[in-house]
Amino acid sequence: MVVVAFHTDPSGTAYELLIDELIEKTDRFMLVDRKYVEGDTPERVAKVLQRLEPYLIEKSTMEEMMMLSGAMYSEGIYYIYRCTPDSGQVLKEGSPSLS
């Protein structure tokens, strides 16, 4: 697994190039919906999750993720997706920056 720390929030062209690079070098990515717990997923996020549905590998709760890995996770729903040029395009169109 690749873990990358950023000191700034990549946006615009830097964000798009980062997505392209990671899609090319990894086989999956994870998104976490922390608002799901509150039943308050923002509409923009819900649309991205819907568009990513064809690439979904696994959807897990915090408890399931902790049982699978033994690591600690924050509360939320964890979505694991396949990295493809199309799923990368959904990410780029869904947000102008990493955060």
Side-chain angles (χ1 to χ4, degrees):
M1 175 169 59
V2 175
V3 176
V4 179
F6 294 98
H7 299 285
T8 62
D9 181 22
S11 62
T13 301
Y15 171 68
E16 291 184 6
L17 291 172
L18 176 65
I19 294 296
D20 291 341
E21 183 77 11
L22 293 174
I23 290 292
E24 181 182 314
K25 295 192 176 192
T26 61
D27 64 346
R28 56 185 63 191
F29 64 92
M30 180 187 300
L31 296 178
V32 182
D33 183 358
R34 298 194 195 292
K35 295 291 186 180
Y36 178 85
V37 177
E38 301 161 12
D40 192 25
T41 300
E43 185 177 336
R44 180 178 61 88
V45 174
K47 286 180 182 179
V48 170
L49 295 175
Q50 182 180 15
R51 289 185 61 203
L52 286 170
E53 185 73 28
Y55 313 102
L56 183 64
I57 296 170
E58 185 177 342
K59 176 181 170 182
S60 302
T61 64
M62 171 191 71
E63 293 85 3
E64 292 167 333
M65 292 298 289
M66 290 190 321
M67 287 180 8
L68 288 171
S69 70
M72 296 300 295
Y73 284 83
S74 300
E75 201 161 339
I77 300 296
Y78 291 77
Y79 299 88
I80 300 173
Y81 297 98
R82 282 182 319 195
C83 287
T84 69
D86 291 336
S87 62
Q89 188 62 37
V90 171
L91 292 175
K92 290 188 274 187
E93 291 173 1
S95 177
S97 68
L98 188 60
S99 63

